[in-house]
Amino acid sequence: LRYGGQPLATAAETWEGAAQVDSVVMAGTPFRGFMGAFRDLVKGCATGRNAELLSPQALGSMPSIYQLLPVLEGRAARLVIPERIYDVRHWRDEGWGLLAHTEELVASARAARYAYVAAQLENSQHFFARLHAPLCCRPRRAIPVLAIHGIGRKTLEHVEWGGGSDERLRFDRPAESVWRKRPNKIVANAGHSQTSSFGDGDDTVPVTSVPLPAALAEAMSVVRRETRASHRTLYSDKRVQRSVLEFLAL
């Protein structure tokens, strides 16, 4: 909307894309990224009975998933793991994503994968910088936007890691009793150097990631809606569908 099809590293605000849009519906959009994207790059994401279709290597070949990694700001920036997420050397050393099991490849293939991951990590930083850049000029009209996000479900927010093999990255092992009593606190796993923080969200995107960037909120006419639907069922939820139809006046 803001930059059209310009390269992210040098893009200037033109609102070229906004001229082609009447209205926008955003549901479960992680404007500040989400830790689940990193978890999937490390662990993979099974689809039904298929654990290979979205393996770490397969996901790591998709440019868009790097733009879903968590933004380094606020509380997340003080934790250990986000500082390493954007350093390709840690991807190589820990065997994350596309750099898993590269010892089986010839040297040229390892180098190509390393360069690809490095470029995608750098590009994701350009993406977030442009997405959250201050407003320079306004579009010709304030585009109507419906922003829907899910609440009421335990959602991974942050991970802190003290080093070691990625077997110690245990994203989904908080103490359930602690979650119920203290949903916004760091939950430690005794005997492990890694801790996880779970908070409110749609089970995939935490509520801390859903606020629109300030420039978009200022330049557009935004209607916000909450739902208790999970991230996977946002668009199939009847109440969400009704909200979208009413917004579009269909």
Side-chain angles (χ1 to χ4, degrees), residues 26-186:
M26 299 176 178
T29 306
F31 289 105
R32 287 167 176 78
F34 64 106
M35 189 57 73
F38 176 64
R39 174 193 59 203
D40 291 346
L41 278 164
V42 173
K43 298 291 187 181
C45 182
T47 302
R49 295 176 181 268
N50 191 327
E52 295 299 322
L53 180 63
L54 296 178
S55 67
Q57 294 92 331
L59 286 169
S61 70
M62 303 176 185
S64 60
I65 196 167
Y66 296 91
Q67 298 175 9
L68 297 175
L69 292 172
V71 177
L72 307 185
E73 64 177 13
R75 179 177 173 225
R78 296 195 298 272
L79 299 182
V80 175
I81 198 67
E83 296 175 359
R84 297 175 177 178
I85 285 178
Y86 290 96
D87 188 336
V88 68
R89 293 171 298 179
H90 289 288
W91 290 72
R92 176 197 60 201
D93 296 343
E94 302 303 327
W96 294 339
L98 196 60
L99 300 187
H101 308 301
T102 55
E103 67 279 358
E104 303 170 0
L105 305 175
V106 298
S108 59
R110 287 198 301 270
R113 288 195 179 190
Y114 184 90
Y116 175 84
V117 173
Q120 296 307 323
L121 292 173
E122 181 180 2
N123 199 49
S124 69
Q125 294 289 275
H126 292 311
F127 172 77
F128 283 123
R130 296 294 177 268
L131 182 63
H132 295 281
L135 187 67
C136 295
C137 62
R138 293 178 178 275
R140 293 184 178 180
R141 67 182 182 89
I143 299 174
V145 174
L146 175 61
I148 303 171
H149 70 272
I151 61 171
R153 296 175 183 268
K154 184 179 68 175
T155 305
L156 181 66
E157 284 189 325
H158 307 299
V159 173
E160 182 173 353
W161 179 68
S165 68
D166 59 20
E167 287 297 315
R168 300 173 74 178
L169 285 169
R170 303 176 68 169
F171 297 97
D172 303 308
R173 298 290 296 276
E176 290 295 327
S177 59
V178 177
W179 155 252
R180 294 191 186 101
K181 294 177 181 177
R182 302 172 67 192
N184 295 316
K185 301 297 182 181
I186 292 288

